[in-house]
Amino acid sequence: RLVLPAVGATRGAEDMGGGMGRVAWAAVIAAFAASCCCCGAASSELETAREDGGIAFSLKYDRKALAVEHRVRMQNAAMRAQTGAEARLEGMSKYEAVIRARLEGKKSMPSGAASVYGSITPLGAYYVTLEIGSPPQLVNVNLDTGSSVLAVPGVESRNASITSDLHVYAANASSTAKRMKCSDPQCKKCSAVDNSSCAFHTSYGDSSFFDGYIVRDTVKLSSLAANVTFGVATSFAPAPQLPVDGLIGLAYDEMACMPTCTKPLLDKLYKQHSISHDMFSICLERHSGGVLTLGAIDKTVRKEQLAINWVKMNDTTPKTFYTVPLRKHGVRFGKHELKLPSDVQYGIVDTGSTLLLMPEKVFAQIQDLVRSDKSLCSGHHAIAGLCDKHSWFNAFSCVYGISQKDIDRLPTLEFDLGGKSTEWTMRVSPAVYMLPMTTFNDNATYVRPRSEITPDQNGTVGYCVGLYPMMYPAWHGIGIIFGNTVMANKYITIYDRDHHRVGFADMGTHKCATDDVAPEAAAPPEYTSSGARGSKAKRLIKVGGAVLALLVVGAVAWTAFQRFVDRSRRQGYRTVEISA
């Protein structure tokens, strides 16, 4: 929400120097990890929390605001350190130019699809632009499948510590806005500042906070709009910075409590039949945003006939995250099985997390396997700096001077997901978990002098390890977080809430489709319940069968016509030739 994962570890983050430094990113991810271990009330406590007006099932969404904002804050600090404040303002204005271009119709999107902005590096977040109220007010919100609340900064929060470029929402400037009153039966907590308003509140272990009120207003995403109840921040710490202003959660509505429980935008759109299916898809690219498709399967999947691998989600009461089961003995690094802690049973698919997060013990096994691999560490073909005492293969540490060929020699990570009927193996190759960098970072390892490093054909000058350890026990069995690292330019994710499953479609070399073609209302019939798309051979058989049927019908019709002609001649009828 304004919006992020807890920030305990981020407070001690050192100054990052140029680029998205290792220390900076470590702090951000550690913050998120902290939020996951102690992220709020357990499922069984949800109803109790609702009844007593406490902070109900806050989970990660409580801390989203700080986390997202912190990532952006660090990026801005890096930009200032490298190129100065003027360059920062110029860079941020480019984001605005893209947004305004879309709203002015320079780049149209189909109904139900919305442009996604952002990147893994340097921003570390993906966001969409909402139009809230009448007349519409623009707000950029982090796209998060790991939470359910919509939260935006209010105009009341603007002060000397907040940049004037921040998009804020002014309820009193919208003719359709309606504050939720404390007397509303839905309200669970009254505002301490204004006893007549319903409070919106979250707090953090490091004294960070997020306070405000709840309002109902029209929220529009791309061409779809609904009347939504959401949180408006009047005070918070630390202050957010461009380009992300707030957060929109796309998880199940059972987590949409602040502490008053609300219905998220996606649920509202489905209920009012603006979308025909309770589902959405997300296609992301590493450096150039992507596409969010509501109510349908992503167009790239359909256009390129990509196979969808469906994984049945874990059943929880209430429904919370997009949780997928991990198969026992089903995590491997190269040819080696990785031992999971006994309390780890599930992973979650979360666009609000940048990296691929895993238990600390699992990450340590990966490090040991890499550094003990003789084919990588010895001889003329040893990868520079990989097996040194100060190896660069650490949690989100970066290396410059390494070739793509060397990166490809690293082992592949594999995760066996789902039950017996929907088992599928997610493969995360080094080309996926080693994130390419297009800018230099002073807080990194250089295996060659910087002056000798030139960009490759893709503009890449270095790589960062897109893996990070969680230092805390699994929360209700959740020990793996599949963040943007495994999605951007790799797996398009389809969240099929109708059938309680998540689909993964390998993008290959394809890009996210952004041309103006409306998404289909339903999944094509060749998408089977097990997740595999019908084979090419089966599709050819279907086409061949249809052609054969037409030939048979044509033959029967021609035979009937000839019989009619012969009979006519025998009876002395005159035949008439008709020319086309």
Side-chain angles (χ1 to χ4, degrees):
R1 61 183 147 311
L2 228 105
V3 242
L4 293 212
V7 190
T10 64
R11 291 295 184 176
E14 303 169 18
D15 190 315
M16 300 22 44
M20 286 301 288
R22 178 174 58 191
V23 175
W25 277 94
V28 171
I29 302 306
F32 170 73
S35 73
C36 245
C37 81
C38 23
C39 28
S43 303
S44 60
E45 300 170 339
L46 176 59
E47 292 304 324
T48 302
R50 285 177 173 173
E51 291 300 321
D52 65 15
I55 300 177
F57 210 57
S58 56
L59 292 176
K60 185 185 61 171
Y61 95 73
D62 270 29
R63 302 162 166 90
K64 276 293 182 194
L66 296 177
V68 170
E69 175 275 319
H70 189 76
R71 284 197 295 262
V72 177
R73 186 156 58 100
M74 289 187 295
Q75 178 217 15
N76 292 339
M79 293 178 66
R80 286 194 295 271
Q82 286 187 3
T83 56
E86 292 184 2
R88 170 184 170 273
L89 292 175
E90 180 182 355
M92 293 301 100
S93 66
K94 291 180 180 179
Y95 281 102
E96 282 302 288
V98 173
I99 295 171
R100 294 184 184 283
R102 178 177 67 83
L103 293 176
E104 291 168 4
K106 295 180 181 179
K107 181 180 181 181
S108 58
M109 292 294 292
S111 175
S115 294
V116 175
Y117 305 99
S119 61
I120 286 187
T121 58
L123 184 58
Y126 290 90
Y127 63 96
V128 294
T129 300
L130 299 180
E131 298 176 54
I132 305 178
S134 304
Q137 303 174 45
L138 307 184
V139 181
N140 298 333
V141 289
N142 182 38
L143 187 63
D144 184 22
T145 60
S147 67
S148 306
V149 167
L150 169 61
V152 299
V155 67
E156 301 90 342
S157 66
R158 179 166 280 166
N159 55 47
S161 64
I162 299 178
T163 171
S164 60
D165 295 324
L166 177 73
H167 297 94
V168 295
Y169 166 75
N172 58 3
S174 172
S175 61
T176 50
K178 183 179 180 181
R179 285 201 188 196
M180 180 180 287
K181 298 295 183 181
C182 182
S183 57
D184 191 311
Q186 187 180 359
C187 182
K188 295 297 183 182
K189 184 177 181 180
C190 296
S191 173
V193 178
D194 177 7
N195 290 331
S196 65
S197 298
C198 191
F200 176 37
H201 171 76
T202 54
S203 59
Y204 307 88
D206 64 347
S207 299
S208 299
F209 64 90
F210 187 28
D211 277 316
Y213 58 90
I214 296 176
V215 68
R216 294 187 182 99
D217 204 348
T218 301
V219 176
K220 184 178 182 182
L221 175 60
S222 185
S223 61
L224 302 177
N227 197 36
V228 177
T229 302
F230 55 94
V232 179
T234 57
S235 60
F236 42 78
Q241 294 185 24
L242 293 173
V244 180
D245 310 307
L247 176 145
I248 184 169
L250 295 177
Y252 288 100
D253 66 346
E254 281 86 345
M255 290 200 297
C257 300
M258 47 190 176
T260 297
C261 298
T262 62
K263 283 292 182 183
L265 174 62
L266 182 65
D267 296 76
K268 282 294 190 75
L269 292 174
Y270 179 60
K271 185 176 181 179
Q272 69 187 26
H273 306 294
S274 295
I275 55 177
S276 55
H277 296 276
D278 189 11
M279 69 184 304
F280 64 95
S281 309
I282 298 177
C283 181
L284 300 176
E285 296 180 9
R286 279 173 168 167
H287 304 299
S288 52
V291 177
L292 166 65
T293 303
L294 300 178
I297 290 175
D298 179 82
K299 186 195 168 186
T300 299
V301 176
R302 295 179 283 106
K303 179 181 178 182
E304 305 299 340
Q305 298 186 356
L306 303 180
I308 298 181
N309 302 284
W310 293 110
V311 177
K312 197 76 173 178
M313 284 189 281
N314 176 50
D315 290 322
T316 60
T317 304
K319 293 179 180 177
T320 54
F321 300 112
Y322 297 109
T323 307
V324 292
L326 295 167
R327 299 282 291 171
K328 190 175 182 180
H329 307 297
V331 181
R332 295 172 297 280
F333 189 61
K335 298 179 180 179
H336 302 274
E337 178 185 329
L338 301 178
K339 296 181 179 179
L340 290 175
S342 58
D343 58 347
V344 174
Q345 299 174 297
Y346 312 107
I348 63 172
V349 186
D350 180 21
T351 59
S353 296
T354 305
L355 306 181
L356 171 55
L357 286 83
M358 61 193 64
E360 182 181 17
K361 291 182 179 179
V362 174
F363 183 74
Q365 293 175 60
I366 291 175
Q367 287 183 303
D368 291 341
L369 289 170
V370 166
R371 296 171 185 176
S372 62
D373 191 330
K374 293 183 178 179
S375 66
L376 302 175
C377 300
S378 60
H380 296 293
H381 300 291
I383 299 177
L386 177 62
C387 306
D388 295 348
K389 181 179 179 180
H390 301 289
S391 171
W392 51 260
F393 197 88
N394 294 303
F396 201 76
S397 56
C398 304
V399 59
Y400 291 86
I402 297 293
S403 68
Q404 178 68 57
K405 185 177 179 181
D406 282 337
I407 293 297
D408 290 339
R409 292 172 57 198
L410 295 171
T412 293
L413 256 173
E414 295 183 341
F415 300 88
D416 293 339
L417 306 179
K420 293 182 179 179
S421 61
T422 60
E423 183 176 350
W424 169 69
T425 298
M426 174 190 286
R427 291 179 172 83
V428 185
S429 70
V432 174
Y433 67 74
M434 291 298 296
L435 305 177
M437 299 291 290
T438 57
T439 57
F440 289 99
N441 181 353
D442 292 335
N443 189 20
T445 298
Y446 286 80
V447 299
R448 286 193 292 144
R450 179 167 172 171
S451 59
E452 297 180 6
I453 301 174
T454 57
D456 64 13
Q457 65 271 23
N458 298 315
T460 301
V461 292
Y463 299 88
C464 295
V465 181
L467 311 176
Y468 205 87
M470 294 189 289
M471 314 297 181
Y472 305 91
W475 183 84
H476 281 228
I478 296 173
I480 303 290
I481 299 177
F482 298 107
N484 296 325
T485 291
V486 303
M487 300 182 214
N489 287 109
K490 181 57 179 177
Y491 291 115
I492 297 173
T493 48
I494 303 101
Y495 306 80
D496 184 0
R497 294 153 44 123
D498 275 333
H499 300 93
H500 201 54
R501 60 184 182 173
V502 178
F504 300 86
D506 195 330
M507 294 176 65
T509 58
H510 302 295
K511 293 183 177 295
C512 299
T514 56
D515 52 316
D516 191 9
V517 177
E520 296 177 3
E526 56 265 37
Y527 288 95
T528 65
S529 60
S530 63
R533 186 180 176 98
S535 66
K536 184 176 181 180
K538 290 181 179 180
R539 293 195 296 273
L540 289 175
I541 290 174
K542 291 181 180 179
V543 174
V547 173
L548 180 60
L550 289 174
L551 291 174
V552 171
V553 172
V556 171
W558 176 254
T559 301
F561 175 75
Q562 289 295 327
R563 289 177 178 174
F564 170 77
V565 172
D566 291 341
R567 186 168 60 254
S568 298
R569 287 174 176 172
R570 287 194 300 270
Q571 295 177 359
Y573 290 156
R574 197 170 43 139
T575 61
V576 180
E577 182 177 351
I578 301 177
S579 59

